[in-house]
Amino acid sequence: MTTRRLGATGPEVGALGLGCMGMSGMYGPADDDESVATILAAVDAGMTLLDTGDFYGMGHNELLVGRALRQLDRDAVTVSVKFGALRDAVGGWGGFDARPAALRNFLAYSLVRLGTDHVDIYRPARLDPAVPVEDTIGAIAEQVKAGLVRHIGLSEVGPETIRRAAAVHPICDLQIEYSVLSRGIEDEILATCRELGIAITAYGVLSRGLIAGTGPSGHSGDFRAHSPRFQGANLDHNLGLVERLRPVAERHNVSVAQLAIAWVAAAGPDVIPLVGMRRRSRVDDALAAVAVTLSEQDLADVDRTVPAGSAAGGRYEGAQLAALDSERPAER
């Protein structure tokens, strides 16, 4: 697999990253042994960027990644950790905490669960409205100086916050949802990141399975059951949009899901798609997708058949979407 650099200051990683969230119950039950085997297979295939969060399964996901790390050359992988989301014992959400004292605590626990002496990229999962972003980034910068963190990233924040954060310490990448059905970053966020030399690590490239034709598993822990894009008429409309992509996919003898991954990868060398998977069998499909080269005609056809803003329903439910800094209109 080819590599891409995470911004002007970040590490080189595989052109496709592995999203590990789904291994810890967010889409329903998963098999731990198969999840670890999937991480090992992905890294062996060149997917060297592993994305996790300390709140995925209340630490469960970091323990899984830690199991895999014990079987890998630690220097050959880049581990990205999000922090700050608060959970309770039954999986409920309790807000967000990005205070300097809190992040030092979160990081200490992450290092133990991962079984490593450093995190390659550390990032607040969301903007904490009660804490200036300068305070949060400054506190992570202290951990960089201490050798516990190598690089600083951001997640789901808008242009103003990106600029404020980058003024404190170099930012290697912004993690944010980006797909054929979620193109909000094209308005201002992508241009801001490129101006500042910040890469995009794009999650949700398959719209949480929607582009692959899958929906809620029926398990109580699968948050897609409450996602507006998977509800009623919205789901029917969105599946219709996905079907419109099939002729372009067929030109390259790939599935619509593989086309969607290739489309994100085609956005530029500073965009690294994160593909979530829980089974080794999906690794080869992902590799085939990133190998697809889309022509200008292909890209134009995607824009024509599924234009920006055509998806029905928000990418999160209303209250969560309203709380995202990345969704706030830029100040003029």
Side-chain angles (χ1 to χ4, degrees), residues 23-140:
M23 299 174 180
S24 294
M26 299 297 285
Y27 297 134
D31 179 85
D32 285 359
D33 291 339
E34 180 62 20
S35 294
V36 172
T38 300
I39 295 172
L40 297 176
V43 173
D44 185 60
M47 299 173 66
T48 58
L49 175 61
L50 306 178
D51 181 73
T52 183
D54 63 10
F55 50 92
Y56 293 166
M58 292 75 81
H60 173 267
N61 203 245
E62 288 183 320
L63 291 170
L64 283 180
V65 173
R67 281 181 55 187
L69 288 180
R70 290 195 291 273
Q71 302 175 61
L72 294 166
D73 175 359
R74 179 64 182 87
D75 293 332
V77 294
T78 299
V79 179
S80 167
V81 176
K82 293 183 290 297
F83 72 89
L86 305 177
R87 308 290 300 274
D88 62 26
V90 294
W93 297 92
F96 193 82
D97 191 348
R99 293 172 301 140
L103 77 83
R104 288 190 289 269
N105 175 79
F106 294 142
L107 177 60
Y109 280 73
S110 288
L111 292 172
V112 172
R113 285 190 291 256
L114 290 167
T116 185
D117 63 358
H118 71 280
V119 167
D120 297 288
I121 308 170
Y122 202 52
R123 71 183 81 239
R126 299 288 185 266
L127 178 69
D128 186 341
V131 180
V133 70
E134 291 85 353
D135 291 358
T136 301
I137 301 303
I140 304 175

Side-chain angles (χ1 to χ4, degrees), residues 244-245 247-248 251 263 295-307:
R244 293 183 194 175
L245 297 170
V248 182
R251 289 177 201 163
W263 183 89
S295 68
E296 291 298 323
Q297 185 62 56
D298 292 330
L299 298 174
D301 287 345
V302 170
D303 285 343
R304 176 179 54 81
T305 57
V306 185

